[in-house]
Amino acid sequence: MTETPALHALWPAPLADGTVHATVTVPGSKSVTNRALVLAALAAEPGWVRRPLRSRDSRLMADALRALGVGIEETASSSSGDGSGGEAWRIIPAALHGPATVDVGNAGTVMRFLPPVATLAAGDIRFDGDPRSYERPLGQVISALRTLGARIDDDGRGALPLTVQGGGALEGGVVEIDASNSSQFVSALLLSGPRFNQGVEVRHVGTALPSMPHIRMTVEMLRAAGAQVDTPEAGGEPNVWRVAPSALLGRDMVVEPDLSNAQPFLAAALITGGTVTIPDWPRRTTQPGDELRRIFTEMGGSCELTDAGLVFTGSGKIHGIDVDLSEVGELTPGIAAVAALADSPSTLRGVAHLRLHETDRLAALTAEINGLGGEVTETADGLHIRPRPLHGGVFHTYDDHRMATAGAVIGLAVGGVEIENVATTAKTLPDFPRMWADMLSGAGA
């Protein structure tokens, strides 16, 4: 890595002293929660978002929508402490307005999904965030919105901070965009598309799109809210999505558990040869995390979908894997952590876009695993991992929640691993250290 982050308080990653046997209730999906909030805010009538994720990213989204005039009424927090429980948020749409300032933090969904929403507001909406947010790609969204009729002041940066000069409406129409760095560029335009005067036709003109499951998630949620969406999968043109102008319905939406956030707990079963059950695992979903069933089975485990949820069991052996993760890139840190403990090499491909995530995840994983004695080599589009005996040491997180959980996974099998700034997991996984300790103690098993 080219920068050395300031050393935060260190969290000693617990070493597993036996097989893990636990039931872990995973909080709601960040991706679903934040899409549901946007669609509910743009609806023509009130709606509900039930079992939402309470985390930094979802709070940033809710607070941003409130700043634009949307009413969001939250029930009391559940006592379970897992960030979901039986909680529900009532969303009351209103005429969007400024002036307002939106803090995006380092949340990709907030910095990309809300500028299109802000074009529908009357008044100036300023967007700012964490220092890392200034480095994350946003230029394609800015250029696309200008093509569709928006006025945006970014001082020519193509990045944050910026101000959307909202006119209360946006003409919309046809736009070309290179979304090869992030599928969120497409989702951002589609989510607000029904409210544009002409709707929107998004034509991707770059190389292969990463994280296609997230675009499918956006399309399904739009359709559930009453939007008409034409997609390549439905016989349309390749790499073209069309959303017709229409009113959106206020819905009663139940958020699925975040399957990507189940990853470290499933990894614990794989590494220790134990069993972890994740309640409410959906039998059908657009979430990328569902691929963990296939990937971790190939790496040595087995799983079964039951009435109790997903039951995942490790065999006590971990095998290397050669896998294309282009559609499920967010799973890369956890898979790399497991691969570093395997009995054979692994190659993780199709994830060059991870260099533009919360941090440069490929460089970060290489630096931190190698810092513990591993042998990880960056490739043009991923990582090659040759397992080596690992030792303790500080595992830096670079303010990236998935780096923190990856370090915890390695710490199950390697004594003396200390995670720098484990609190960064609050981005999507509230109270991760307590959940991790409960899993290791067998709570809920």
Side-chain angles (χ1 to χ4, degrees):
M1 300 292 290
T2 58
E3 61 181 45
T4 302
L7 192 64
H8 296 263
L10 300 179
W11 178 68
L15 182 68
D17 58 6
T19 56
V20 168
H21 295 278
T23 296
V24 180
T25 299
V26 177
S29 163
K30 176 201 71 174
S31 299
V32 173
T33 297
N34 279 1
R35 283 166 173 78
L37 285 171
V38 170
L39 290 172
L42 295 177
E45 56 195 355
W48 290 89
V49 178
R50 301 188 186 275
R51 298 185 66 183
L53 173 67
R54 271 185 176 270
S55 72
R56 187 186 186 214
D57 276 21
S58 60
R59 284 217 163 276
L60 286 166
M61 180 67 82
D63 288 345
L65 291 170
R66 287 189 180 106
L68 297 179
V70 178
I72 302 179
E73 300 173 352
E74 303 182 25
T75 63
S77 300
S78 68
S79 60
S80 65
D82 67 9
S84 56
E87 190 171 354
W89 294 354
R90 182 164 172 79
I91 316 301
I92 304 169
L96 304 177
H97 61 81
T101 298
V102 169
D103 176 11
V104 309
N106 192 20
T109 51
V110 182
M111 72 179 69
R112 291 162 184 157
F113 292 178
L114 288 193
V117 175
T119 67
L120 305 171
D124 289 355
I125 312 298
R126 178 171 173 78
F127 288 82
D128 208 336
D130 297 352
R132 171 62 179 171
S133 71
Y134 296 0
E135 303 171 21
R136 299 186 68 181
L138 190 60
Q140 291 291 329
V141 174
I142 295 170
S143 297
L145 289 174
R146 285 176 174 148
T147 298
L148 297 173
R151 293 183 300 164
I152 300 174
D153 178 11
D154 66 345
D155 289 333
R157 287 183 299 269
L160 291 171
L162 60 84
T163 298
V164 176
Q165 300 171 19
L170 192 70
E171 190 59 23
V174 181
V175 64
E176 292 186 345
I177 189 169
D178 181 353
S180 52
N181 282 336
S182 175
S183 67
Q184 289 178 353
F185 298 168
V186 173
S187 289
L189 299 172
L190 298 183
L191 286 167
S192 293
R195 290 284 305 273
F196 299 162
N197 293 342
Q198 297 183 36
V200 70
E201 178 179 305
V202 181
R203 308 181 72 89
H204 167 60
V205 294
T207 55
L209 269 169
S211 304
M212 275 297 297
H214 280 121
I215 295 180
R216 297 186 194 109
M217 177 187 294
T218 297
V219 169
E220 285 203 4
M221 293 181 70
L222 275 163
R223 287 173 173 163
Q228 178 183 329
V229 189
D230 296 328
T231 68
E233 293 88 348
E237 284 184 69
N239 293 324
V240 177
W241 293 262
R242 297 183 182 89
V243 180
S246 68
L248 293 174
L249 307 174
R251 291 195 59 235
D252 193 326
M253 172 75 187
V254 179
V255 178
E256 298 173 350
D258 193 315
L259 307 188
S260 295
N261 276 341
Q263 183 179 41
F265 305 101
L266 300 179
L270 182 59
I271 288 167
T272 68
T275 298
V276 167
T277 300
I278 308 293
D280 301 319
W281 193 286
R283 293 186 178 273
R284 181 187 175 279
T285 181
T286 54
Q287 287 193 60
D290 195 44
E291 276 295 289
L292 287 168
R293 293 191 290 153
R294 175 185 65 84
I295 294 168
F296 276 175
T297 295
E298 188 174 336
M299 296 187 81
S302 61
C303 65
E304 181 182 6
L305 269 176
T306 70
D307 291 341
L310 179 71
V311 180
F312 186 86
T313 303
S315 63
K317 296 182 179 179
I318 306 171
H319 308 310
I321 191 171
D322 186 328
V323 62
D324 183 344
L325 299 176
S326 57
E327 293 207 346
V328 293
E330 66 194 46
L331 304 180
T332 302
I335 294 170
V338 173
L341 304 170
D343 59 11
S344 58
S346 294
T347 300
L348 313 185
R349 295 178 283 105
V351 288
H353 60 285
L354 294 190
R355 294 187 170 98
L356 301 170
H357 275 219
E358 280 82 345
T359 187
D360 179 342
R361 284 180 171 164
L362 300 185
L365 287 165
T366 300
E368 299 313 309
I369 295 174
N370 288 353
L372 301 181
E375 185 180 333
V376 181
T377 305
E378 278 194 64
T379 65
D381 72 338
L383 300 172
H384 184 67
I385 302 168
R386 295 180 62 86
R388 292 285 185 266
L390 301 182
H391 54 71
V394 175
F395 194 96
H396 300 99
T397 64
Y398 308 88
D399 294 322
D400 185 336
H401 56 134
R402 300 206 192 278
M403 287 295 296
T405 53
V409 165
I410 292 175
L412 289 173
V414 180
V417 174
E418 295 182 296
I419 311 299
E420 170 251 355
N421 191 20
V422 74
T424 194
T425 53
K427 178 180 173 71
T428 59
L429 198 54
D431 205 9
F432 170 74
R434 180 198 58 78
M435 294 178 69
W436 201 243
D438 286 352
M439 175 196 70
L440 290 171
S441 70

